[in-house]
Amino acid sequence: MASTDVEKAQATAGSRAAPSPPASTYSSDEKGRTSEIERVDAPGQLETPLYNAHIDVSGVDERKLMRKIDFYLIPWLSFLYLLSFLDRTSIGNAKLYHMTTDLHLTDQQYLLALTIFFFSYSIFEVPSNVFLKRLRPSVWLSLLMFLWGIMMVRQTVQGLVHNYSGLLGMRWMLGVFEAGLFPGVNYYLSCWYKRSEFGIRAAIFFSAATVSGAFGGLLAAAISKMDGIGGKPAWAWIFILEGLVTVVAGVMSFWIIQDFPDTAKFLSEEERTVVVRRLQSDDQFSAAGESLRWHYIWRSLLDWKTWIGMLLYTGADAPLYAFSLFLPSIINQLGYTATPANLLTVPVYVLACIVTCIVGFVADRHGCRGYLTMICLSVGMAGYIILILSRNAALSYVAVYLAACGIYPTIPNLVAWVSNNVEGSYKRSVSIAMVISFGNINGAVSSNVYRARDAPWYSLGHGIVLMYICIGLVMSVIYFVYLKRENARRDRGERDEIIKGVNEHRTELARNGTYASIADAKRDKGDEWSGYRYTL
């Protein structure tokens, strides 16, 4: 059966919409469609050219096609992120197996080793996303995986990590090579799926982080049995074995990771056409390809949504790193030894994984990403308030579940929310990277808030994490209100452009730009086009 969205696109390309009496140049349905302009007999100016108009897609079943795409993309990318999160947080598990003692680290030195990762990680995220767009994802992502795996294995096996400076070097390089994976994959997935489909895929992908939290504890407990083999302590074997798996995965990724929809080799020409057309019907005008222009990048840097999104994402990402790096230590200080402490993290992450996927599904189905963000952050806030006030180990352990269920679902939901509201492939790649980068640089702060002298209740650390969550909650309200007001302005016609030969008499609209056709307006303005409606 042919794709429903593609059929609509074809119908739009060959016919005129029924007249309607709007106040604006554009109507105010979900994403905004032409109305006054469509009533004017100027076909060449109004229609966006149909992608691959000569291709017959009547034999393509859209549901089967999307299942095929999911199968080729999601499992492997999720596995790569699982490895990424395992590698970056394995230091928390290694600490429980005497790493700080063997390397003669003070508490302050250990915290700085955590911190340095976030600086290199944040610095290289934006340029990495630009490289991803310029190069093939199969080349860039697999290269990053291979290099950070080699770095972990080489530094540990060759004995370079035998003191504080060696550990700092490993953490810095780990940040450099890992920087491109999370923002890169989220941008990459946004190039394959419609806005109403992206949330659950981002949630499943990110759930690998929660799985890594559970799996990492089990894996560390198992690897600890290798203590002394080859003259290496248990913590060194954690780095070595996880690094080896990453190297193998990086090599395999070159053949497994697919490229962008218009060039994907695992799809037929008809299937590639369907994917691009359905994205364009969702107002992703750049789906067929876009040339690099600095104009698009500057649009991202000057967009208020980017800067609010950065503060909003920080409200979830800084707590995420504090939580994942210190959860084993927090449980350990509540009276459990190393291996039981690692094992007790498993059910926390399992529940967080389930809730993350549920939130992603509901957000896609009902389009309420803003409300879900506020709810999740409120749940996380409740968890940390309990952690601050509690002096009971059992109650604190329950509060950890609330904190996880508040923090983890928020991350992919925020990435989807920001991505949904940015159009233009280069602009979206830079915006997503900037948002995630700013959140990660604040991980440098949150990784220093749990000091050994504050054990076992870590009131100061919990208080700082609570502050971040409050910032995120406030910014989510501001972001929601601004988007809603902007949609209302477009409904009233305040953002309409002048289309030559159609509404040139509307001279008061000149400030919004003058274009030869709607297609030109869409291509140049992206999400600032007056017919584009933001996701609330």
Side-chain angles (χ1 to χ4, degrees), residues 211-399:
V211 172
S212 76
F215 183 63
L218 294 171
L219 187 62
I223 295 176
S224 68
K225 305 299 182 183
M226 298 180 65
D227 186 33
I229 296 178
K232 300 290 183 184
W235 62 265
W237 280 112
I238 292 174
F239 292 146
I240 292 169
L241 294 183
E242 292 180 3
L244 283 172
V245 173
T246 302
V247 170
V248 174
V251 174
M252 295 174 63
S253 293
F254 180 76
W255 290 277
I256 295 176
I257 294 177
Q258 307 300 321
D259 294 319
F260 293 109
D262 55 328
T263 59
K265 295 180 180 178
F266 75 103
L267 299 178
S268 66
E269 183 70 17
E270 292 78 13
E271 290 172 329
R272 289 196 291 269
T273 300
V274 168
V275 174
V276 173
R277 287 185 190 176
R278 69 195 301 276
L279 291 174
Q280 290 182 331
S281 73
D282 189 45
D283 282 351
Q284 297 189 44
F285 324 122
S286 58
E290 183 179 71
S291 299
L292 174 61
R293 292 172 55 194
W294 284 105
H295 164 74
Y296 298 138
I297 295 177
W298 281 114
R299 279 271 172 90
S300 176
L301 296 175
L302 299 176
D303 191 344
W304 63 268
K305 300 192 305 300
T306 302
W307 296 95
I308 292 182
M310 289 162 63
L311 292 171
L312 172 53
Y313 188 77
T314 295
D317 204 38
L320 170 73
Y321 283 112
F323 186 89
S324 60
L325 287 170
F326 285 94
L327 181 59
S329 296
I330 292 171
I331 296 177
N332 176 243
Q333 292 299 327
L334 293 179
Y336 300 95
T337 57
T339 297
N342 271 325
L343 295 178
L344 281 172
T345 65
V346 174
V348 178
Y349 286 117
V350 169
L351 180 61
C353 178
I354 295 171
V355 175
T356 297
C357 292
I358 291 174
V359 169
F361 175 80
V362 172
D364 277 357
R365 180 62 60 91
H366 300 287
C368 50
R369 302 198 192 281
Y371 290 117
L372 287 170
T373 296
M374 297 173 206
I375 292 171
C376 289
L377 288 173
S378 297
V379 171
M381 183 184 298
Y384 274 96
I385 290 174
I386 295 174
L387 283 171
I388 291 171
L389 300 177
S390 171
R391 292 298 178 267
N392 178 277
L395 180 59
S396 295
Y397 186 60
V398 171

Side-chain angles (χ1 to χ4, degrees), residues 436-485:
I436 295 175
S437 174
F438 190 74
N440 286 326
I441 197 65
N442 279 272
V445 177
S446 63
S447 63
N448 282 278
V449 300
Y450 287 100
R451 304 174 301 180
R453 64 176 178 268
D454 295 329
W457 304 112
Y458 296 108
S459 296
L460 175 63
H462 295 328
I464 293 175
V465 172
L466 179 62
M467 176 197 71
Y468 272 109
I469 293 176
C470 290
I471 291 173
L473 186 58
V474 171
M475 297 313 298
S476 66
V477 174
I478 293 174
Y479 193 58
F480 180 89
V481 171
Y482 274 27
L483 292 177
K484 190 172 184 179
R485 288 182 176 178

Side-chain angles (χ1 to χ4, degrees), residues 481-496:
V481 171
Y482 274 27
L483 292 177
K484 190 172 184 179
R485 288 182 176 178
E486 181 59 28
N487 281 347
R489 291 188 183 101
R490 297 181 184 191
D491 291 342
R492 293 193 297 268
E494 296 175 16
R495 305 299 193 206
D496 288 0

Side-chain angles (χ1 to χ4, degrees), residues 107-120:
D107 180 52
Q108 188 62 33
Q109 287 176 325
Y110 174 72
L111 293 176
L112 289 175
L114 299 183
T115 303
I116 196 171
F117 167 86
F118 296 101
F119 286 109
S120 57

Side-chain angles (χ1 to χ4, degrees), residues 28-59:
S28 59
D29 62 1
E30 181 186 355
K31 290 175 284 292
R33 301 295 181 221
T34 57
S35 56
E36 176 187 327
I37 291 179
E38 283 183 330
R39 293 200 299 271
V40 180
D41 188 18
Q45 294 173 305
L46 302 180
E47 297 168 1
T48 300
L50 187 66
Y51 180 74
N52 279 354
H54 63 286
I55 299 292
D56 178 16
V57 298
S58 59

Side-chain angles (χ1 to χ4, degrees), residues 409-420:
T410 304
I411 297 294
N413 190 50
L414 281 179
V415 171
W417 197 16
V418 170
S419 175
N420 282 179

